[in-house]
Amino acid sequence: MGNHLIQVPLQITDDPGVVQLDWVMAFGKQYLGIRNTFSEMHQLKFQKPILPGCSVKLSLSSSSKKNILGFRYFTDRETFSSGRISYLPLIGADD
């Protein structure tokens, strides 16, 4: 199980939901070492839009036993989006 908190400037010009999910998957690979292929999304909730100039945090948590990457974009006062992304087990990986 791994956890990581990321703070980066956010500038979304395309579909905000797609960009947020792309960042979750990229940062999951970069910071939590996930090498698997992502397969499904669960419990996606986009509660509030992230507006220009808003500084948000991204919390990531992973469970290698369940092959799930959880995420939450938030500030100290509110949550903007959250969800879970399943990934396929690595072929030949040790259990």
Side-chain angles (χ1 to χ4, degrees):
M1 181 116 166
N3 294 300
H4 206 82
L5 182 64
I6 301 163
Q7 295 185 63
V8 295
L10 181 66
Q11 291 191 6
I12 295 179
T13 56
D14 298 319
D15 183 336
V18 172
V19 172
Q20 289 178 46
L21 292 173
D22 186 55
W23 283 15
V24 166
M25 292 183 282
F27 288 140
K29 289 179 178 185
Q30 181 178 350
Y31 291 105
L32 300 178
I34 296 171
R35 301 183 335 242
N36 315 56
T37 301
F38 292 101
S39 62
E40 298 179 17
M41 296 175 214
H42 307 275
Q43 299 179 334
L44 292 180
K45 297 177 186 168
F46 296 98
Q47 293 99 323
K48 296 187 78 167
I50 301 172
L51 301 175
C54 181
S55 178
V56 298
K57 299 172 187 173
L58 170 58
S59 173
L60 297 175
S61 60
S62 70
S63 170
S64 58
K65 290 190 183 237
K66 294 182 179 181
N67 296 325
I68 292 188
L69 173 62
F71 74 91
R72 183 170 72 110
Y73 285 92
F74 66 101
T75 64
D76 292 337
R77 297 184 332 175
E78 56 195 340
T79 296
F80 292 88
S81 60
S82 62
R84 297 182 313 165
I85 301 174
S86 296
Y87 49 90
L88 301 173
L90 288 175
I91 295 173
D94 296 331
D95 290 329

